[in-house]
Amino acid sequence: MKPAIEVKDKIEQEEAEMRLRSTLNPEEQTNVVEGPTKFRKGPNQSELVCGICNEIYYVGDVTFSQAMSAMEEGIDNPFCCDECEADYEEVSH
Ligand SMILES: [Zn+2]
């Protein structure tokens, strides 16, 4: 006869491993996207080019429409990636 308690332990162990794997694999957490990304990811589906380093970044709808309306106002490449923004802030302080 199988001891039932051992089976339960095994299931709990597998569940714990699954939890561990999902926290170790951030790409599966598509809802959590912070700022522009270098690749299409989660809500970041719109392409913008950084006005400073000319790198292509993908941004969410909100950032994209903000950049679009800034361009309509005559601002060239209003989008600035996080890295350039950090550099710019260092310079201006
Ligand atoms: Zn940049």
Side-chain angles (χ1 to χ4, degrees):
M1 212 177 111
K2 266 189 193 166
I5 194 145
E6 230 175 72
V7 175
K8 192 173 168 285
D9 278 358
K10 194 165 189 320
I11 290 167
E12 275 176 10
Q13 199 191 331
E14 276 170 8
E15 277 176 359
E17 276 173 18
M18 262 159 62
R19 266 198 298 274
L20 191 65
R21 259 201 293 276
S22 67
T23 52
L24 287 176
N25 200 344
E27 278 181 30
E28 281 178 19
Q29 299 171 351
T30 46
N31 296 330
V32 189
V33 177
E34 290 171 22
T37 50
K38 284 237 172 190
F39 305 97
R40 279 202 169 91
K41 185 181 173 189
N44 292 357
Q45 297 291 328
S46 306
E47 216 177 275
L48 278 183
V49 178
C50 172
I52 295 167
C53 67
N54 288 321
E55 295 270 346
I56 293 168
Y57 281 84
Y58 292 96
V59 297
D61 286 346
V62 175
T63 311
F64 189 70
S65 55
Q66 278 170 355
M68 282 298 129
S69 54
M71 277 185 220
E72 277 165 20
E73 285 166 26
I75 301 163
D76 268 345
N77 283 337
F79 172 68
C80 174
C81 72
D82 283 351
E83 274 176 48
C84 291
E85 204 169 331
D87 284 353
Y88 184 77
E89 272 170 24
E90 258 173 49
V91 172
S92 64
H93 282 306

